[in-house]
Amino acid sequence: MSNEYAVEMRDITKKFGGLIAADSVSFKVKPGEIHALCGENGAGKSTLMNVLTGKFLASSYSGEILLNGNKVKINSPKDAKKEKITIVHQELELIPDLSIAENIFLGNQPTTATGVNWKKMNAEAQDILEKFSLNLNVKTKIKYLTVGQQQLVEIAKAIYLGGNVLILDEPSAPLTGREIDFLLATLEKLKKTGISIIYITHRLEEVFKLSDRVSVMRDGKMIDTFSTKEINVEELVAAMIGRKMENMYPDMDTEVGDVTLEISNYSVPHPLYDTNIVEDASMKFRAGEVVGISGLLGAGRTELMSAVIGAYKMKGNGTVKLNGKEVKFNSPAAAIKAGIGYVTEDRKMTGLILNQSIRFNVSMASLSRIIEHGVLSPSKEKVIVNELKDGLHIKTENIENPVSSLSGGNQQKVVLAKWLATKPGVLILDEPTRGVDVGARFEIYMIIKELAAQGNTIIIISSDLPEIIGISNRVYVMYEGKVHGELLKDELGEDSIMRYATGIA
Ligand SMILES: Nc1ncnc2c1ncn2[C@@H]1O[C@H](COP(=O)(O)OP(=O)(O)OP(=O)(O)O)[C@@H](O)[C@H]1O
Ligand SMILES: [Mg+2]
């Protein structure tokens, strides 16, 4: 038997109840290749990888798995590990209250006769971080890291664990320019050692930068596998969504009105050190505007906006005015009441209650709109939630299903629906399309533009440069906690943003 393929999945069919998440899927990966796996939210990408990495008992699906030409049964994550398959899951799996080092060596700690060998563990962990150019102290608890840093720790851990097959399920979603470039360069290097890398992403530019081949899934089926060199972005998108897409960003002019939110000389103390994580930031936002906030990981974007609305663990100092009146929010609930919605960066931690229904999650921030004469109106609630479900194309049969049953991108749409339901005058979106597929992204951009056209203010924090350029009227760029530049529509470009974001300009 030839060993042309490191991994061969044959006719995999996996059902969840009546739903066919993988429908007779075949997928082959060569040794030493980077193989991108693309498809819309809910297409079945994570399910296929979960099959390969032992999340499900082999008896719960049909089909065969071959590794280097040999048939194997993978019944558990342990089996996958034995077969030298490593995965970085779409949702972060680190334990917040343990240190970086403890997380890296979880279940695998070096020991002495009397217990864990802390010294050895910490030293080795520090070594791994350094190899990965991560400037963090390994004794820091995971919960003090940003989502992007957590992701880098997970990737460093996976690469350190090694194996013959490395699967990354949307690894770049929380990362920004420099970190992504570093990740891609690291994977290029790794590939040369002969291992196979399966790379799931919704950022199509990464597919073209990185992959040798790309496979596309749609509605649980494997549509095709292409050599990346032989396909262009339009063809790839067409394979993913089953039709041609004319435009990535809606073209819509909005009328700009008065200043709604104004932040002046605003600083936020660092939670751990005796410095400011945001320093003397001033920004103005007007009705009818979509304003982007750009910057690298750790530039202070999320800290600034979450402190302003009372969602950050540290209190900020400075002036915040809403429609000309000075305001101070001690909690996001107070901000919502005043008409500011905030879509959080980290849906698992702060955005959603996963085991509750879609209906519950969507309506929980807007109960005041759904309550009639002091009682919750279930019929009104259903109408509002169903409208948003249809508008955002949330892929589910029933809004009573738990959020945990949705694919990652569809969970993100639920977060967005929750805030849209509050009808905020000012809507702050922190990485709103993270993990969202191209088709749904366009729908979200349309909604953003429509909200702006209705006179609302939209503030969008995004690490996706094409997105922030495509959708914003204006962009503030932050660098090391400071507002480092402001770019108007006709000055917007990847170069101009990166110059400010890296402190060159
Ligand atoms: N544990 C589960 N229970 C029920 N349904 C599930 C479960 N996991 C996934 N599904 C369903 O299977 C289908 C495929 O989901 P999957 O997570 O594989 O999609 P995906 O391609 O990874 O999407 P995304 O890009 O949004 O991450 C979806 O319809 C999803 O709702
Ligand atoms: Mg997925």
Side-chain angles (χ1 to χ4, degrees):
M1 184 158 288
S2 94
N3 286 4
E4 193 191 349
Y5 296 105
V7 177
E8 186 173 353
M9 301 179 81
R10 285 187 190 158
D11 284 326
I12 302 289
T13 296
K14 169 73 190 167
K15 300 180 186 168
F16 295 106
L19 185 137
I20 308 179
D23 189 354
S24 193
V25 172
S26 293
F27 180 54
K28 295 190 237 179
V29 186
K30 295 175 186 169
E33 81 165 335
I34 300 185
H35 197 125
L37 183 55
C38 291
E40 291 188 284
N41 297 132
K45 306 178 296 293
S46 296
T47 301
L48 190 67
M49 291 304 104
N50 286 336
V51 165
L52 184 56
T53 53
K55 178 154 184 196
F56 313 118
L57 286 175
S59 57
S60 76
Y61 57 85
S62 62
E64 290 178 340
I65 300 175
L66 289 85
L67 300 175
N68 299 313
N70 301 314
K71 257 190 228 174
V72 293
K73 280 251 178 295
I74 300 176
N75 270 306
S76 66
K78 229 183 186 160
D79 287 352
K81 202 170 160 191
K82 241 190 297 169
E83 300 291 353
K84 298 195 173 307
I85 303 174
T86 308
I87 183 165
V88 175
H89 283 286
Q90 188 168 12
E91 302 294 340
L92 292 171
E93 303 214 317
L94 300 172
I95 299 173
D97 276 311
L98 294 183
S99 72
I100 295 177
E102 286 170 292
N103 270 284
I104 290 180
F105 286 98
L106 202 65
N108 209 1
Q109 292 129 322
T111 50
T112 63
T114 53
V116 176
N117 186 340
W118 293 98
K119 211 169 152 194
K120 185 161 180 226
M121 183 173 90
N122 287 333
E124 280 184 22
Q126 200 69 50
D127 208 43
I128 293 167
L129 291 195
E130 266 157 35
K131 273 202 198 111
F132 217 68
S133 299
L134 270 172
N135 190 12
L136 297 166
N137 183 332
V138 293
K139 292 181 190 161
T140 314
K141 284 189 179 163
I142 288 293
K143 65 180 173 194
Y144 294 119
L145 306 183
T146 65
V147 187
Q149 289 168 330
Q150 293 183 24
Q151 179 69 297
L152 290 174
V153 169
E154 278 224 24
I155 295 169
K157 173 181 173 177
I159 290 178
Y160 164 77
L161 286 175
N164 296 335
V165 181
L166 176 65
I167 302 163
L168 300 147
D169 195 346
E170 291 190 44
S172 66
L175 305 181
T176 53
R178 210 162 35 184
E179 291 89 23
I180 294 176
D181 288 344
F182 181 70
L183 171 65
L184 300 191
T186 307
L187 296 179
E188 288 278 3
K189 247 193 263 161
L190 210 58
K191 159 183 130 166
K192 297 214 174 86
T193 66
I195 79 164
S196 307
I197 299 171
I198 302 171
Y199 191 92
I200 299 180
T201 185
H202 288 291
R203 293 182 172 179
L204 302 184
E205 68 270 22
E206 291 173 2
V207 172
F208 290 96
K209 259 190 210 163
L210 184 71
S211 71
D212 302 295
R213 296 195 299 155
V214 48
S215 289
V216 178
M217 290 185 74
R218 186 168 78 232
D219 289 332
K221 296 190 181 65
M222 185 57 82
I223 300 300
D224 211 340
T225 296
F226 307 92
S227 159
T228 312
K229 280 200 288 289
E230 285 160 16
I231 186 174
N232 62 34
V233 77
E234 285 77 26
E235 290 163 333
L236 179 59
V237 169
M240 285 169 65
I241 65 179
R243 64 186 153 84
K244 266 203 167 136
M245 199 157 125
E246 301 294 323
N247 234 331
M248 254 325 277
Y249 301 97
D251 204 11
M252 204 189 285
D253 274 331
T254 59
E255 203 168 309
V256 175
D258 293 336
V259 171
T260 49
L261 183 69
E262 182 170 4
I263 300 167
S264 314
N265 306 109
Y266 201 85
S267 296
V268 181
H270 197 287
L272 295 177
Y273 311 116
D274 192 19
T275 56
N276 282 330
I277 198 158
V278 175
E279 181 88 37
D280 203 30
S282 298
M283 294 180 182
K284 264 186 201 167
F285 307 97
R286 297 183 179 83
E289 258 191 326
V290 179
V291 181
I293 304 182
S294 189
L296 299 179
L297 197 69
R301 302 165 301 167
T302 295
E303 289 80 1
L304 169 64
M305 295 320 288
S306 60
V308 163
I309 64 137
Y312 194 58
K313 49 191 164 245
M314 307 299 287
K315 279 205 181 355
N317 315 295
T319 317
V320 179
K321 284 185 182 164
L322 184 62
N323 302 318
K325 273 209 320 244
E326 195 169 333
V327 287
K328 235 189 193 87
F329 302 120
N330 286 318
S331 68
I336 294 171
K337 226 169 156 187
I340 303 183
Y342 179 57
V343 175
T344 45
E345 170 182 41
D346 182 353
R347 62 176 171 260
K348 207 171 182 187
M349 301 282 279
T350 45
L352 292 176
I353 302 174
L354 291 177
N355 58 3
Q356 288 280 3
S357 70
I358 297 162
R359 174 184 52 72
F360 176 91
N361 275 281
V362 171
S363 67
M364 71 181 162
S366 50
L367 291 176
S368 58
R369 278 186 61 221
I370 300 163
I371 286 170
E372 275 176 347
H373 317 298
V375 286
L376 184 94
S377 160
S379 56
K380 206 167 161 185
E381 184 188 25
K382 251 198 193 142
V383 170
I384 292 177
V385 176
N386 270 316
E387 265 177 23
L388 285 161
K389 178 202 141 203
D390 294 342
L392 290 169
H393 295 257
I394 296 173
K395 196 180 164 199
T396 184
E397 259 138 48
N398 193 333
I399 57 173
E400 297 306 325
N401 287 338
V403 168
S404 56
S405 71
L406 298 178
S407 76
N410 280 295
Q411 291 185 11
Q412 180 63 11
K413 293 190 216 168
V414 172
V415 179
L416 199 64
K418 165 179 153 184
W419 294 106
L420 291 176
T422 67
K423 296 223 179 264
V426 176
L427 183 61
I428 304 167
L429 304 163
D430 199 343
E431 305 289 355
T433 62
R434 174 180 299 164
V436 171
D437 68 52
V438 272
R441 272 174 192 234
F442 188 79
E443 288 155 19
I444 290 174
Y445 300 147
M446 281 298 287
I447 289 171
I448 288 175
K449 284 289 188 191
E450 271 163 24
L451 286 171
Q454 291 160 16
N456 298 295
T457 302
I458 312 292
I459 302 168
I460 170 166
I461 301 175
S462 173
S463 301
D464 190 320
L465 287 179
E467 163 173 293
I468 214 159
I469 293 164
I471 186 137
S472 308
N473 297 82
R474 206 156 53 84
V475 172
Y476 286 109
V477 187
M478 293 184 72
Y479 170 64
E480 295 189 340
K482 299 191 182 74
V483 178
H484 207 60
E486 181 186 349
L487 294 163
L488 303 178
K489 181 101 203 157
D490 55 0
E491 301 168 322
L492 284 176
E494 300 207 11
D495 280 356
S496 56
I497 292 181
M498 283 318 282
R499 284 169 64 85
Y500 282 108
T502 52
I504 297 171

